């Protein structure tokens, strides 16, 4: 509308109805439409349905639904045209609830919808996944005969597919007089996405009989659908069939098949597709570059993965994220760090996926302190974490018992409404259990609106870690009564709980029920739990007999459980058998040599101890140092056995000496049996003072207020002397002390440990 026309709007009385209609039809902006609307009100044409319907259409086109709604209410006698443009525009704008409200008002006004209105209402049902409402709209269409229209039929097929009602979609499709390629593609893709290989292929193959020729969308829908449903081989076969039938694959086809190849870890096929990418000239497609990097990473071909990354003209954040994940997946965390830091300097800002990927990599590879530091940097960079970020961060907090950091992440999830997310809740349960707060873990579990298998397993495992076998068994049984079927992890957790408490009969019952009741064949980890259970209760021969009759090859975990039990019960003969098996399976694991050495030392066989040490030197091994972590005033401290680098070490050793004297004066002596060296008794006591868990506990005493609970994590199993020493400290200092070792949690309070001295 030009300036002269705008000027003419001010001369209201000079415009005829035809002129007004002309102005409405030529309105090209919301402001012009509003001026025409004002003129209609001024000249008394506001009750003219013809004028109002034209204005409604304009307001709908400009997505100005508030003005349109006001106009609609002003009409005394609206007709189909009054609703049609609004219903169509609201559906197009994904305002699906509003679309259905308008459709309901149309029916309430006794106005019969036409074949242009019904598809918009059906689309709204699909967008809301409201299958029941969709069925009502379908029923109305059948009653009025509108459902026989080809456009309405196609909309119904799409709606039922999106609502996962494939039987209904198939019925509608089979009754179509002229089935089209769009509806057919939607149905085949729906079956593929559901993982229904038989029906997907059957409908796809029947296309030719119906006169339907597949197009690129049809092929891509099948490939992507099979990939999403985990039918990776079918996705690859469909891609091969597509190319053999003469269809030219596009970027979507390749981006859909590469993830399937990745999960199959089919490097040969991946290389062939990569060659196809080069041949087709798709090397600059960022989605394909990201998929190639991911594929090579999952196929453990890191050199080619890096070559694709470095050879790309431009790399977006997707390619960078894929490279970081690939490096981390293959244990190249230091390389991932380098790439992360380098890329961080190149781009203005990383996205939430980039930061989350790095946090996840650190927490999965034991770099928990680094994970916390990266999360802090992420916040400084003003990148907002999402629920996945929190789910990846919480394990790092739990691994090193960083309770303050874990609580901060919990508060963040509450403020941002993440706490009801089932994965965040499961991670919170695991974090609180790992930090010694099993009661808080249970509160999180009880408040979950929806529970999945992960949270049931996390709670059972948490109770097992704390030696609360009764509670672990209760959760396991409650899970089954709730209709949740246990999996392999569930049985590992409940068997571990029985092992911690020495519940031999109950452990055997659950082990036997795996195959007898639940149809699950026991894996090596379940046999390891049973060997540990029998060994802990002194039934070493039964444990060895179980290993000898296993239907699968026992691994290092199984033999390690037996060797550990032999250490506890000083059984040299079976200990030697287990150790020799472990030397074959894990020749570079120093822990196995140390355990055998411990068995010899506990039996005063010092010549054999020396021989084991010589064996270690011969293969170039040294003992893994004991390491403990403690969180004090929002900072996590790490202490090594015999550590003299900590700035407070003089004060720590002085306090240790005083506490040792207090313990002796109270009638409790150091248990020097746990010094596995042939030295004087006084020297043995000095060696015991250097154990990392003692250093961490004393550091906590020096830097916290009296009565403050202490939480310590240790990488190895706590020794008997440290166990006795910390029991004494809990009573003498009036402290609750939580120590999580490589085996379980120990809760020390008033001179007593929750394990009942059984660990």
């Amino acid at each position: 509308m030009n300036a002269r026309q705008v000027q003419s709007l001010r001369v209201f009385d000079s415009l005829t109805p035809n002129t007004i209609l002309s102005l409405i039809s030529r309105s090209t902006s919301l402001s012009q439409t509003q001026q025409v609307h004002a003129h209609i009100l001024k000249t008394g044409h506001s009750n003219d349905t013809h004028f109002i319907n034209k204005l409604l259409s304009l307001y709908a086109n400009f997505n100005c639904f508030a003005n349109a709604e006001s106009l609609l209410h002003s009409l005394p006698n609206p007709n189909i045209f009054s609703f049609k443009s609004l219903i169509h525009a609201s559906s197009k704008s994904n305002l699906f609830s509003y679309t259905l409200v308008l459709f309901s008002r149309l029916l309430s006004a006794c106005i019969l919808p036409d074949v242009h209105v019904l598809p918009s209402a059906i689309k709204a049902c699909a967008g809301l996944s409201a299958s029941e409402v969709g069925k009502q709209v379908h029923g109305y269409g059948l009653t009025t005969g509108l459902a026989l229209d080809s456009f309405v039929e196609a909309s119904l097929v799409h709606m039922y597919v999106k609502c996962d009602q494939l039987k209904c979609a198939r019925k509608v499709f089979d009754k179509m007089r002229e089935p089209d390629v769009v509806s057919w593609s939607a149905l085949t893709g729906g079956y593929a996405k559901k993982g229904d290989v038989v029906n997907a292929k059957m409908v796809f193959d029947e296309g030719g009989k119906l006169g339907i020729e597949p197009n690129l969308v049809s092929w891509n829908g099948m490939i992507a659908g099979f990939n999403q449903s985990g039918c990776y081989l079918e996705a690859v076969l469909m891609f091969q069939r597509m190319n053999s039938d003469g269809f030219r694959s596009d970027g979507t086809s390749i981006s859909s098949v590469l993830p399937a190849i990745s999960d199959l870890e089919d490097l040969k096929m991946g290389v062939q597709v990569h060659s196809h990418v080069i041949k087709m000239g798709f090397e600059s497609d960022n989605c394909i570059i990201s998929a190639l990097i991911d594929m090579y990473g999952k196929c453990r071909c890191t050199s080619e993965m890096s070559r694709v990354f470095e050879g790309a003209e431009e790399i977006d954040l997707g390619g960078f994220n894929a490279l970081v994940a690939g490096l981390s997946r293959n244990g190249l965390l230091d390389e991932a760090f380098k790439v992360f830091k380098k890329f961080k300097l190149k781009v203005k800002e990383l996205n939430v996926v980039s930061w989350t990927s790095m946090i996840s990599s650190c927490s999965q590879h034991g770099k928990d302190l680094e994970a916390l530091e990266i999360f802090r940097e992420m916040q400084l960079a003003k990148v907002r974490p999402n629920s996945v970020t929190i789910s990846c961060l919480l394990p790092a907090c739990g691994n090193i018992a960083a309770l303050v950091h874990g609580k901060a992440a919990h508060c963040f999830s509450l403020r941002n409404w993440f706490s009801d997310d089932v994965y965040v809740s499961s991670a919170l349960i695991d974090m609180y259990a790992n930090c010694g707060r099993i009661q808080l873990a249970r509160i999180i579990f009880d408040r979950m609106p929806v529970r999945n298998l992960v949270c049931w397993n996390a709670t059972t495992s948490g109770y097992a870690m704390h030696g609360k076998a009764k509670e672990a068994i209760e959760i396991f049984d409650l899970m089954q009564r709730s209709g949740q079927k246990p999996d392999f992890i569930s049985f590992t957790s409940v068997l571990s709980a029985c092992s911690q408490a020495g519940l031999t009969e109950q452990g055997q019952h659950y082990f036997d029920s795996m195959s007898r009741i639940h149809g699950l064949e026991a894996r090596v980890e379940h046999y390891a739990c049973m060997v540990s259970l029998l060994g802990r209760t002194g039934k070493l021969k039964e444990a060895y007999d179980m290993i000898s009759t296993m239907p699968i090859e026992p691994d290092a975990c199984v033999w390690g459980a037996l060797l550990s039990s032999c250490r506890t019960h000083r059984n040299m003969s079976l200990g030697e058998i287990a150790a020799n098996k472990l030397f074959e399976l894990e020749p570079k694991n120093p822990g196995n040599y140390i355990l055998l050495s411990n068995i010899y030392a506990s039996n005063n066989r010092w010549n054999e101890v020396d021989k084991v040490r010589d064996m270690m030197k011969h293969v170039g091994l040294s003992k893994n140092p004991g390491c403990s972590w403690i969180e004090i005033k929002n900072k996590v401290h790490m202490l090594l056995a015999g550590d003299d680098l900590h700035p407070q070490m003089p004060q720590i050793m002085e306090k240790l000496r005083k506490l040792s004297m207090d313990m002796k004066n109270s009638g409790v002596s150091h248990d020097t049996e746990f010094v596995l060296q042939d030295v004087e008794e006084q020297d043995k006591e000095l060696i015991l003072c250097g154990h990392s868990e003692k250093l961490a506990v004393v550091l906590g005493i020096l830097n916290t207020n009296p009565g403050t609970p202490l939480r310590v994590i240790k990488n190895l199993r706590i020794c008997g002397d440290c166990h006795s020493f910390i029991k004494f400290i809990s009573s003498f200092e009036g402290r609750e002390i939580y120590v999580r070792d490589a085996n379980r949690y120990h809760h020390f309070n008033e001179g007593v440990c929750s394990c009942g001295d059984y660990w």
Side-chain angles (χ1 to χ4, degrees):
M1 189 181 294
N2 57 35
R4 186 178 299 172
Q5 288 173 319
V6 174
Q7 180 65 29
S8 70
L9 285 176
R10 297 171 184 159
V11 191
F12 297 112
D13 295 335
S14 64
L15 298 180
T16 64
N18 287 335
T19 306
I20 295 171
L21 284 172
S22 177
L23 289 171
I24 293 174
S25 64
R26 283 185 285 175
S27 294
T28 58
S29 69
L30 179 60
S31 61
Q32 290 173 0
T33 302
Q34 289 171 332
Q35 290 180 48
V36 175
H37 186 185
H39 175 70
I40 290 173
L41 293 172
K42 179 88 173 181
T43 55
H45 293 292
S46 58
N47 290 327
D48 191 316
T49 302
H50 190 51
F51 286 152
I52 298 303
N53 286 346
K54 288 280 187 180
L55 276 174
L56 277 169
S57 179
L58 282 173
Y59 277 131
N61 288 339
F62 293 127
N63 289 336
C64 191
F65 295 108
N67 287 16
E69 182 69 24
S70 177
L71 264 179
L72 187 61
H73 274 291
S74 72
L75 276 175
N77 297 302
N79 57 26
I80 181 65
F81 300 103
S82 309
F83 285 94
K84 183 184 291 186
S85 56
L86 266 181
I87 289 175
H88 175 73
S90 60
S91 176
K92 189 177 179 181
S93 299
N94 296 335
L95 300 172
F96 300 128
S97 295
Y98 182 50
T99 302
L100 293 180
V101 168
L102 288 168
F103 184 73
S104 176
R105 283 164 59 184
L106 179 144
L107 297 178
S108 298
C110 298
I111 299 170
L112 183 68
D114 60 17
V115 294
H116 301 291
V117 171
L118 211 62
S120 294
I122 294 169
K123 179 186 175 183
C125 295
L128 296 170
S129 296
S131 59
E132 292 305 313
V133 179
K135 287 178 181 178
Q136 292 177 27
V137 176
H138 185 186
Y140 180 84
L142 291 171
T143 303
T144 58
L146 295 173
L148 299 176
D149 179 81
S150 59
F151 191 36
V152 174
E153 286 177 326
S155 300
L156 285 167
V157 171
H158 278 81
M159 184 269 291
Y160 282 126
V161 168
K162 195 162 185 181
C163 292
D164 201 21
Q165 300 280 325
L166 294 177
K167 286 185 179 179
C168 295
R170 181 67 182 273
K171 285 180 181 178
V172 175
F173 180 81
D174 288 342
K175 290 179 181 178
M176 291 177 73
R177 287 169 294 179
E178 297 180 2
D180 57 24
V181 68
V182 177
S183 302
W184 175 75
S185 299
L187 183 60
T188 56
Y191 278 126
K193 192 174 181 180
K194 183 77 172 176
D196 190 341
V197 177
V198 174
N199 277 310
K201 285 186 171 182
M202 183 171 65
V203 175
F204 193 86
D205 293 339
E206 289 174 352
K209 298 177 184 177
L210 299 171
I212 300 173
E213 287 295 326
N215 58 20
L216 197 55
V217 175
S218 314
W219 289 105
N220 289 346
M222 288 286 281
I223 296 167
F226 281 137
N227 179 51
Q228 290 174 36
S229 62
C231 301
Y232 305 123
L233 182 58
E234 295 298 335
V236 174
L237 292 174
M238 190 58 63
F239 179 79
Q240 291 176 322
R241 178 178 167 183
M242 172 188 179
N243 285 278
S244 64
D245 284 1
F247 280 87
R248 184 185 175 93
S249 53
D250 65 355
T252 303
S253 318
I254 296 168
S255 298
S256 298
V257 77
L258 278 171
I261 294 170
S262 301
D263 287 296
L264 290 172
E265 297 184 10
D266 188 345
L267 181 60
K268 184 178 179 181
M269 175 60 68
V271 171
Q272 291 177 11
V273 173
H274 190 180
S275 300
H276 181 69
V277 167
I278 296 170
K279 182 180 177 181
M280 300 295 291
F282 290 137
E283 306 101 301
S284 59
D285 187 310
N286 280 326
C287 290
I288 292 177
I289 290 171
S290 300
L292 281 170
I293 292 170
D294 182 67
M295 181 272 294
Y296 280 121
K298 287 183 177 176
C299 291
R300 295 180 292 281
C301 191
T302 54
S303 58
E304 194 61 36
M305 176 183 70
S306 300
R307 194 173 292 118
V308 171
F309 181 82
E310 292 164 3
E313 293 179 8
E314 287 187 19
I315 284 286
D316 65 355
L317 281 174
F320 160 74
N321 294 338
L323 180 64
V324 169
L327 290 169
S328 303
R329 187 181 293 115
N330 286 278
L332 302 173
L333 195 59
D334 292 338
E335 290 298 317
F337 259 118
K338 289 178 184 177
V339 173
F340 181 77
K341 291 176 181 177
K342 185 178 178 181
F343 206 78
K344 192 167 60 170
L345 297 173
K346 278 188 177 182
V347 297
K348 288 185 178 179
E349 62 178 45
L350 300 175
N351 62 16
V352 64
V353 178
S354 311
W355 290 98
T356 301
S357 179
M358 203 64 235
I359 291 168
S360 175
S361 299
C362 290
S363 63
Q364 288 174 14
H365 290 85
K367 300 283 186 180
D368 305 302
L369 291 171
E370 289 83 349
L372 297 179
E373 179 59 26
I374 290 170
F375 182 72
R376 188 186 69 82
E377 290 180 21
M378 177 183 182
Q379 292 177 301
L380 291 174
K382 301 190 184 310
V383 178
R384 190 173 187 80
N386 59 20
S387 59
V388 181
T389 313
I390 300 302
S391 298
C392 293
L393 177 70
L394 286 168
C397 300
N399 289 342
I400 54 174
L403 182 61
V404 173
H405 291 81
K407 282 186 173 180
H410 187 185
C411 290
F412 181 88
S413 70
L414 288 169
R415 290 195 303 271
N416 292 274
W417 304 98
F418 297 154
S419 56
D420 283 344
D421 180 279
V422 68
Y423 297 104
V424 172
S425 296
S426 298
L428 283 168
I429 291 170
D430 189 60
M431 182 274 293
Y432 279 122
N434 279 325
C435 288
R437 294 296 189 91
I438 190 65
Q439 298 89 346
L440 289 177
R442 182 58 186 266
I443 290 171
I444 298 292
F445 174 82
D446 289 339
R447 291 180 178 176
M448 288 181 71
V450 179
R451 298 181 184 129
N452 64 359
L453 185 58
V454 176
C455 68
W456 286 104
N457 287 345
T459 308
T460 308
S461 176
Y463 277 127
M465 185 197 311
H466 284 262
K468 295 181 177 292
K470 178 184 175 184
E471 291 84 349
I473 291 170
E474 285 176 357
I475 290 291
F476 183 80
D477 292 341
L478 178 61
M479 174 178 68
Q480 295 175 80
R481 290 198 301 273
S482 301
Q484 178 67 64
K485 188 176 179 180
D487 68 353
F488 295 102
I489 298 174
S490 313
F491 278 101
T492 302
S493 299
V494 76
L495 288 173
S496 175
C498 293
S499 174
Q500 297 287 359
L503 303 177
T504 310
E505 291 183 6
Q506 284 179 276
Q508 189 68 56
H509 163 74
Y510 286 119
F511 182 81
D512 293 339
S513 73
M514 285 185 67
S515 58
R516 182 167 46 84
I517 298 174
H518 300 281
L520 298 172
E521 291 301 321
R523 297 180 177 180
V524 285
E525 56 265 35
H526 305 115
Y527 280 100
C529 287
M530 286 304 297
V531 169
S532 177
L533 172 57
L534 293 169
R536 282 171 181 273
T537 53
K539 298 179 179 180
L540 296 176
K541 184 179 183 302
E542 289 89 333
Y544 180 64
D545 289 343
M546 173 172 271
I547 296 174
S548 302
T549 57
M550 280 176 61
I552 50 180
E553 190 69 25
D555 68 357
C557 291
V558 176
W559 288 112
L562 180 62
L563 182 61
S564 181
S565 298
C566 290
R567 161 68 183 89
T568 302
H569 298 284
R570 304 181 182 183
N571 189 309
M572 283 196 300
S573 58
L574 286 178
E576 288 173 339
I577 294 172
N580 287 326
K581 289 288 185 180
L582 287 165
F583 296 159
E584 295 175 13
L585 294 168
E586 297 179 326
K588 296 297 182 182
N589 184 354
N592 300 323
Y593 293 88
I594 298 300
L595 275 175
L596 180 60
S597 174
N598 292 352
I599 294 172
Y600 286 139
S602 64
N603 285 279
N604 295 317
R605 302 287 290 270
W606 300 110
N607 289 335
E608 282 78 3
V609 170
D610 291 337
K611 288 178 183 178
V612 173
R613 288 177 180 166
D614 290 340
M615 288 170 61
M616 290 181 67
K617 289 178 182 178
H618 180 71
V619 293
L621 297 178
S622 60
K623 180 182 177 182
N624 289 328
C627 182
S628 295
W629 295 264
I630 185 169
E631 184 183 35
I632 301 170
K633 298 175 183 177
N634 297 348
K635 182 179 179 182
V636 178
H637 298 259
M638 182 176 73
L639 296 106
L640 294 170
D643 190 4
D644 59 358
L645 297 177
H646 195 280
Q648 286 187 263
M649 192 51 63
Q651 298 98 303
I652 292 172
M653 295 308 297
E654 179 61 29
K655 182 68 174 177
L656 258 176
R657 280 190 287 271
K658 288 181 179 179
L659 288 170
S660 293
M661 288 302 299
D662 291 328
M663 188 172 80
K664 281 185 177 181
N665 292 335
S666 69
V668 180
S669 300
H670 281 289
D671 195 343
T672 55
E673 168 192 339
F674 291 93
V675 177
L676 305 172
Q677 297 173 25
D678 191 12
V679 295
E680 296 296 327
E681 198 72 15
Q682 187 176 353
D683 294 329
K684 288 184 178 182
E685 291 186 9
L686 287 173
I687 292 170
L688 289 170
C689 284
H691 284 193
S692 64
E693 58 267 54
K694 287 179 182 172
L695 301 178
V697 168
V698 173
L699 180 66
I701 292 171
L702 291 172
N703 292 278
T704 58
N705 294 325
T708 303
L710 303 176
R711 290 174 182 81
V712 174
I713 303 296
K714 189 183 179 184
N715 65 332
L716 306 175
R717 194 171 72 160
I718 188 172
C719 80
D721 179 70
C722 290
H723 194 267
S724 300
F725 184 74
I726 297 172
K727 280 202 300 182
F728 167 76
I729 290 177
S730 70
S731 174
F732 187 78
E733 292 283 338
R735 302 263 191 159
E736 283 188 80
I737 303 172
Y738 300 84
V739 178
R740 192 185 84 209
D741 66 8
N743 195 40
R744 59 165 294 156
Y745 240 110
H746 300 265
H747 177 197
F748 299 92
N749 189 28
E750 296 181 354
V752 178
C753 180
S754 60
C755 73
D757 298 337
Y758 184 93
W759 80 98

